[in-house]
Amino acid sequence: MLNELKQRFSIPGLSFEQNHNGLVSVVIQSAACTGELFFQGAHVSSWRPFGHEPVLWLSQKSNYEKGKPIRGGVPICFPWFGPNASNTTLPAHGFARLQEWQLVGAQQKNSGAMELSLETTIDPFRLSFQVEFGNELKMTLKTMLPQNAMSSQSYEDALHTYFSVSDVRTISIRGLEPASFIDKVDDAQLKPATDSPIRIESETDRVYLDTQSDCVLEDTQWKRAIRVAKLGSASTVVWNPWIDKSKRMADFGDAEWPGMVCIETANIGDSRIRLSPGESHSTTAVISVDALSTNRNL
Ligand code: TA6
C-alpha cells in the first residue's frame, strides 16, 4: 500500500508512514508547516505552522489502532454527534472517524500549502474531506446525498478540534459572547448568552447555538491567539473534561486536561443538516495563529 501511495502521490514535502498497528498516515513537511493526517478517519493529528509551536493537542495516552479513535487533533464526527440518540451501542460521534478514507488527490498550492483530498462513503451519504496544510489549516467536510437516494436525509457533523494551550485555566475564548448555549454539564439546560469571553474554571461542555462567529483563543502565557473561522456551521462546541472526566477516559492522561481545549466547528441538534437527493453541504473550519496583540478586535 505504501509503495502504491508513494508512486501515485510523489510530491516534495509529502511522505507516507505506517505504524506498528498498521495505521497509515501522510506526513507533510514544507516551508509553510509540518503536519500529519491518518487515513483512518481522515484524521488530522498534527499541524505546526512555520514560526509557531504545535497548534493541535494529542494525548500521550491516545490509541493509534484500527477501529479506535485518536485522542486529539481533529476527529470528524459524522453522521451524529455524541452518543447515538437511539442506539447507545453505536460508536460515539458516529462512524467517520473510525473508518478508512481514500486519498484521491494531493497537490502543492502556489501558496506553498499542501492540499489533500480524501473520500469515503457512509450510507446513504458520500463524503469528501479537503485539508489544506499551510500557514493556515483549512478543512472542509463536504457531504453529498446521491440523486438516486430514496428520500431526504439528515445528519450532524463536527470538526472536533483539540487545541494545545499553556494552561486552560488562564486562556479565554472570544466570539461566543452573544450566543446561547446548551450546558451539557448541567442537565443539558439551555442557557442565555453570557456576553463575556469564555473562561474555563471547571468541566466545560457547551454547545453554542446559531452562531456563525469566528472564535479567538487567547493564550497570554504562550503569547498567541488562535483564530477558528468557519463556514457552513451553525454550532460551536467548547469542551474541557477537567479533573474527574479525564480520569474516566483511558486514552486521556489524568494530568493532561490543563493543556487542551476543544473548539469544535459543527452542526448539531436543531442545526442538523437535512439534504434532499442530489444536494450537498460543506462545513469548513479555517485555523490560523498570530502573536497575541494588545488589539482586542475580534
Ligand atoms: O465535544 C465534547 C464531547 O461531546 C464531550 O461530551 C466528550 O464526550 C468529547 O466530546 C469526547 O468524546 P469522545 O467520544 O471522543 O471521547
Side-chain angles (χ1 to χ4, degrees):
M1 175 176 188
L2 284 185
N3 289 335
E4 183 202 337
L5 285 166
K6 288 170 185 172
Q7 284 165 9
R8 279 186 65 197
F9 303 104
S10 61
I11 302 174
L14 206 63
S15 60
F16 297 91
E17 294 183 1
Q18 186 160 22
N19 80 350
H20 62 283
N21 287 318
L23 286 193
V24 177
S25 66
V26 51
V27 176
I28 290 93
Q29 289 173 310
S30 73
C33 74
T34 60
E36 186 169 16
L37 173 146
F38 282 85
F39 287 175
Q40 174 175 277
H43 195 128
V44 176
S45 55
S46 75
W47 172 61
R48 181 177 186 175
F50 178 76
H52 292 282
E53 295 303 310
V55 177
L56 305 182
W57 178 87
L58 275 175
S59 171
Q60 298 295 315
K61 307 264 290 190
S62 178
N63 297 297
Y64 292 92
E65 52 187 287
K66 292 188 188 301
K68 292 189 177 180
I70 294 168
R71 175 65 69 188
V74 187
I76 296 175
C77 305
F78 183 94
W80 63 79
F81 184 84
N84 181 279
S86 54
N87 180 350
T88 53
T89 65
L90 293 173
H93 293 320
F95 301 111
R97 66 177 179 171
L98 300 176
Q99 69 183 46
E100 210 61 17
W101 291 58
Q102 290 71 47
L103 183 66
V104 297
Q107 61 170 343
Q108 183 130 40
K109 312 274 285 191
N110 295 336
S111 64
M114 189 73 73
E115 182 184 81
L116 305 179
S117 300
L118 298 99
E119 292 178 354
T120 195
T121 298
I122 296 180
D123 284 337
F125 302 102
R126 289 180 42 230
L127 282 70
S128 70
F129 187 55
Q130 194 168 75
V131 198
E132 209 174 286
F133 284 93
N135 57 19
E136 292 184 337
L137 177 65
K138 182 173 180 182
M139 301 174 284
T140 296
L141 175 67
K142 181 175 181 181
T143 303
M144 295 154 275
L145 184 62
Q147 187 64 55
N148 63 2
M150 301 298 286
S151 62
S152 67
Q153 299 284 335
S154 71
Y155 65 89
E156 294 174 311
D157 67 359
L159 301 175
H160 191 301
T161 310
Y162 288 73
F163 292 101
S164 186
V165 298
S166 59
D167 184 337
V168 76
R169 293 162 290 197
T170 64
I171 58 115
S172 63
I173 298 170
R174 305 165 71 82
L176 296 169
E177 292 85 345
S180 57
F181 63 95
I182 293 171
D183 188 345
K184 290 170 60 178
V185 296
D186 189 7
D187 295 330
Q189 288 186 67
L190 177 62
K191 296 192 173 173
T194 62
D195 296 324
S196 59
I198 299 167
R199 305 294 297 241
I200 308 290
E201 297 160 337
S202 62
E203 181 182 350
T204 303
D205 194 349
R206 301 178 176 182
V207 180
Y208 286 84
L209 306 169
D210 302 325
T211 172
Q212 318 295 330
S213 173
D214 291 10
C215 287
V216 178
L217 192 172
E218 295 188 343
D219 190 332
T220 47
Q221 281 189 54
W222 282 356
K223 296 184 176 58
R224 73 179 185 183
I226 298 172
R227 179 176 292 271
V228 185
K230 64 176 192 173
L231 281 173
S233 157
S235 321
T236 295
V237 180
V238 175
W239 177 57
N240 179 278
W242 209 253
I243 301 165
D244 294 343
K245 182 152 189 176
S246 298
K247 289 177 180 171
R248 297 197 296 270
M249 294 186 283
D251 61 348
F252 197 115
D254 293 357
E256 290 188 312
W257 59 271
M260 58 69 68
V261 69
C262 285
I263 301 175
E264 306 162 33
T265 304
N267 292 288
I268 297 172
D270 293 347
S271 297
R272 63 189 303 114
I273 304 295
R274 175 167 291 280
L275 298 178
S276 298
E279 285 187 331
S280 63
H281 176 85
S282 292
T283 300
T284 297
V286 181
I287 301 167
S288 54
V289 190
D290 285 307
L292 190 58
S293 66
T294 51
N295 172 2
R296 285 288 193 259
N297 290 335
L298 189 58

